Amino acid sequence: MSRKIIIIGGVAVGASAAARLRRLNEEDEIILLERDEYISFANCGLPYYIGDVIKERDNLIVQTKEGMKARFNIDVRNFSEAIKIDRQQKHVVVRDVKTDETYNLAYDYVVLAPGANPIMLPIEGQDEAKNVFKLRNIPDTDQIKAHITNNDIKEAVVVGAGFIGLEMAENLNHLGIKVTIIDLATQVMKVFDDEMAKLIQNAMTKKGIDFKLGLSVKKFENEGKKVILSDDSILSSDLNIMAIGVAPETKLAQEAGLELGVTKAIKVNEYNQTSDPNIYAGGDAIEVLNFVSQQPTKIPLAWPANRQGRLIADHINGIETKYNGSLGSSVVKIFDNIAAATGLNEASAKAQGYDVKSVHVHRANHAGYYPDASDITLKLVYDAKSKRVLGAQAFGKEGTEKRIDVIATAIKFKATIDDLPDLELCYAPPFSSAKDPVNIIGYVATNIERGMFEPFYVQDIANLKDAQFVDVRTEYEYNLGHIPETINFDIDNLRANLDKIDFSKDIYITCQVGLRGHLAARILKENGFKKKIYNLSGGYKLYHEYFKK
């Protein structure tokens, strides 16, 4: 017997669910409602179209109304807004956006895929401004593109230093526009810890992007051409992009009496069913469990949305595949660099009550003797009690996201730090080294847990008063820059200078990236040093980036 399934919203969840539903059942009547024109488009590609990296607008269109009808026999109704779900009568009230007429659609199942809306704060002067835009869909993109084409845009302000904010800043920079990023937070990209976020900020600053962090927009003047910040400083702007973040679109669900979670997104079970078992929901509008902590969260990313759309279709058709939670694995292009992360960062892991330790390594993305090798800065976050890997972050060039993908896979299988050195990964000189950066960071973490040294971090240095700092780099490296109050003994001369080290005090070792610090720790321990030995995680290289003005 055929069923009637109403899908509210397209893009990732809606289109994925529709296609999978049809592949599993040829008889069901499937109706997809979309209030806008486009049912399936590459929203992650929108900034790159604005920046002329993606040349053809049509390349953003993943699937059309006609295509869905021809291939999947889906009744796609664009310009059709679902304005009410009547759960008692089991019908959806639909409004034709063009005519404002309404009609009812009976259903057996509803799939809610409303997505999320860009957050637009009530800023004085915003309504009168003619150059303030958000970016959610293709019409938004067209408006921004037209504004740039039809006006002489020299300066732009991007409000928000998350994914969309950084991507828009880069793409506007490609067009020769001077960009300033404003964010109330004191760092960019909150999914990263602050020292890793500083690598991102420094790379963008090097390309000419200005940052005003710890500030907000107080008001717009002169139709948006003057931006007044919370410290009363003034920026001139020809274009303002609001990229503060997104809020789940829950109005329809709330009015239908569906339960919301603690994050104020739609609450669903492991099969993406809402509090009404005949209504499913997925994507940016729902609350998910963080895979690591099993705590409720919101993760508005493409992979979870596509996965959830498929699993919803499966469950409607009797295939009980559970959605096991989200890691939040993500990657962003930062000009000629890559920043990627997965799982919990250190700050969130501590907030969840884990006994957190973290380690940093800088390792070449492929064999150093093969041309164009460059360092990846990789951070691992783990629980010292269980040794379980909780998360990772990385910044570098080619191959950076590969390492995060490997660690994301390891987290899914609940790996510990002892498992990372044992991962047998592909090696050839153009692609990696015989010991991959993922192996290396596992070795470092296991060395720490075996008591070979304790890590200390760039954030700790200001609070270490009267500490015994020893820099074991060469004299030449030391003279190029070093942490204040450190003494310098080249690692190769350390044994000859042991008498100059106070064996009655803890010692804090620094080197360029951490490797020579580990060697120094071994030399000291093997020569009778009984006090604690600390090695700077990430070395002077990370220190230099973190404190760079």
Side-chain angles (χ1 to χ4, degrees):
M1 188 175 78
S2 67
R3 300 161 300 180
K4 193 168 184 177
I5 303 168
I6 310 299
I7 302 172
I8 301 173
V11 197
V13 175
S16 294
R20 178 69 169 169
L21 283 165
R22 179 56 73 222
R23 291 196 298 271
L24 295 175
N25 190 307
E26 187 66 19
E27 302 301 322
D28 285 341
E29 182 181 0
I30 304 167
I31 300 172
L32 192 156
L33 305 173
E34 173 56 57
R35 67 185 168 200
D36 297 321
E37 180 178 359
Y38 304 96
I39 61 161
S40 184
F41 59 91
N43 50 2
C44 295
L46 300 181
Y48 300 98
Y49 172 64
I50 291 170
D52 280 344
V53 177
I54 297 172
K55 300 293 184 183
E56 299 297 328
R57 182 177 180 276
D58 287 349
N59 290 341
L60 297 171
I61 310 299
V62 177
Q63 186 57 277
T64 64
K65 174 180 178 177
E66 295 75 20
M68 288 291 279
K69 178 65 176 177
R71 180 162 296 181
F72 298 107
N73 191 26
I74 306 294
D75 180 0
V76 175
R77 305 183 187 184
N78 55 0
F79 299 114
S80 298
E81 181 183 16
I83 59 173
K84 182 180 179 181
I85 301 173
D86 188 326
R87 292 167 54 202
Q88 283 67 43
Q89 300 297 320
K90 290 191 75 171
H91 68 242
V92 175
V93 182
V94 183
R95 181 180 74 90
D96 186 308
V97 173
K98 292 184 174 180
T99 66
D100 207 35
E101 295 176 351
T102 62
Y103 60 93
N104 296 339
L105 280 176
Y107 69 83
D108 293 296
Y109 297 103
V110 168
V111 178
L112 271 173
N117 288 317
I119 296 170
M120 298 293 285
L121 299 177
I123 300 171
E124 183 182 346
Q126 186 169 264
D127 292 341
E128 293 75 36
K130 296 181 178 179
N131 62 354
V132 176
F133 301 92
K134 58 180 173 52
L135 181 62
R136 183 195 187 210
N137 52 30
I138 288 182
D140 293 339
T141 306
D142 290 340
Q143 289 180 19
I144 297 170
K145 192 86 168 175
H147 184 76
I148 293 171
T149 301
N150 298 329
N151 296 277
D152 184 19
I153 308 297
K154 289 185 169 63
E155 298 175 289
V157 167
V158 175
V159 184
F163 288 101
I164 296 298
L166 298 195
E167 288 171 348
M168 278 303 304
E170 176 180 339
N171 281 281
L172 293 174
N173 178 277
H174 286 327
L175 299 177
I177 299 169
K178 175 66 177 174
V179 181
T180 300
I181 296 177
I182 302 165
D183 201 295
L184 188 57
T186 55
Q187 69 166 75
V188 305
M189 296 292 288
K190 293 295 285 183
V191 297
F192 290 81
D193 290 310
D194 62 344
E195 81 280 11
M196 298 297 289
K198 195 66 190 296
L199 301 177
I200 298 171
Q201 181 182 340
N202 291 347
M204 298 192 76
T205 300
K206 189 175 179 180
K207 293 291 186 178
I209 307 295
D210 285 339
F211 287 88
K212 301 288 186 182
L213 300 179
L215 298 172
S216 60
V217 176
K218 184 177 180 180
K219 63 179 175 178
F220 293 105
E221 292 183 352
N222 192 20
E223 297 182 334
K225 289 187 175 293
K226 184 184 288 188
V227 183
I228 315 297
L229 304 187
S230 52
D231 65 350
D232 292 324
S233 60
I234 300 172
L235 297 173
S236 59
S237 179
D238 304 307
L239 170 67
N240 301 293
I241 303 293
M242 306 303 288
I244 300 167
V246 295
E249 189 169 317
T250 60
K251 183 173 183 289
L252 189 63
Q254 287 188 76
E255 291 178 349
L258 300 177
E259 185 178 353
L260 301 187
V262 296
T263 65
K264 305 303 181 184
I266 301 169
K267 187 173 183 178
V268 296
N269 65 12
E270 63 267 40
Y271 301 112
N272 283 90
Q273 288 173 298
T274 67
S275 52
D276 184 326
N278 294 107
I279 301 176
Y280 294 76
D284 296 358
I286 71 167
E287 178 178 275
V288 298
L289 292 181
N290 181 284
F291 178 82
V292 178
S293 68
Q294 291 297 297
Q295 295 300 307
T297 187
K298 294 178 289 188
I299 298 183
L301 295 171
W303 185 91
N306 279 278
R307 177 70 171 153
Q308 290 155 12
R310 179 186 176 94
L311 297 189
I312 287 169
D314 283 357
H315 196 257
I316 288 173
N317 283 280
I319 303 171
E320 296 195 352
T321 307
K322 294 181 180 180
Y323 188 76
N324 295 312
S326 295
L327 278 177
S329 299
S330 56
V331 62
V332 61
K333 179 178 175 292
I334 307 294
F335 291 94
D336 52 354
N337 292 287
I338 299 163
T342 190
L344 300 179
N345 62 20
E346 186 173 357
S348 59
K350 286 178 177 176
Q352 294 293 339
Y354 289 99
D355 183 7
V356 178
K357 280 190 180 176
S358 65
V359 291
H360 306 78
V361 298
H362 310 279
R363 298 292 292 189
N365 58 349
H366 58 247
Y369 57 82
Y370 189 86
D372 301 323
S374 62
D375 274 353
I376 296 171
T377 298
L378 182 60
K379 177 177 183 176
L380 185 75
V381 179
Y382 67 95
D383 177 54
K385 289 181 181 176
S386 66
K387 299 187 184 180
R388 184 181 172 189
V389 178
L390 303 177
Q393 300 153 52
F395 182 83
K397 298 188 186 299
E398 183 181 5
T400 298
E401 77 289 352
K402 167 186 170 181
R403 274 66 189 204
I404 293 300
D405 286 341
V406 170
I407 296 174
T409 304
I411 294 172
K412 277 286 187 176
F413 290 99
K414 299 185 178 179
T416 68
I417 57 172
D418 296 320
D419 294 315
L420 299 184
D422 200 40
L423 294 177
E424 188 173 344
L425 305 174
C426 294
Y427 161 62
F431 306 106
S432 185
S433 297
K435 288 186 284 189
D436 189 86
V438 174
N439 300 139
I440 292 296
I441 206 163
Y443 283 127
V444 175
T446 54
N447 281 339
I448 291 170
E449 293 310 310
R450 288 167 183 165
M452 294 189 178
F453 62 85
E454 286 288 329
F456 76 107
Y457 306 99
V458 293
Q459 297 95 328
D460 298 333
I461 290 173
N463 297 320
L464 295 174
K465 306 299 183 185
D466 300 319
Q468 182 177 205
F469 285 104
V470 176
D471 189 320
V472 296
R473 296 176 298 160
T474 66
E475 184 179 2
Y476 174 77
E477 292 174 291
Y478 179 81
N479 288 334
L480 289 176
H482 57 268
I483 298 169
E485 309 302 324
T486 56
I487 57 175
N488 175 226
F489 303 118
D490 186 328
I491 182 67
D492 294 334
N493 298 319
L494 181 60
R495 291 179 182 87
N497 287 282
L498 292 176
D499 60 330
K500 298 184 178 71
I501 293 173
D502 188 344
F503 273 52
S504 69
K505 294 175 64 176
D506 295 344
I507 189 168
Y508 293 82
I509 302 171
T510 69
C511 66
Q512 189 64 16
V513 299
L515 174 58
R516 283 173 285 180
H518 170 56
L519 299 177
R522 300 310 305 150
I523 290 170
L524 288 167
K525 283 213 170 189
E526 292 299 317
N527 281 275
F529 193 90
K530 302 298 185 184
K531 301 295 285 184
K532 284 191 175 182
I533 301 174
Y534 296 89
N535 186 19
L536 181 60
S537 188
Y540 182 78
K541 181 174 182 175
L542 189 61
Y543 171 89
H544 176 69
E545 289 287 339
Y546 186 70
F547 288 102
K548 186 183 288 185
K549 299 298 182 183

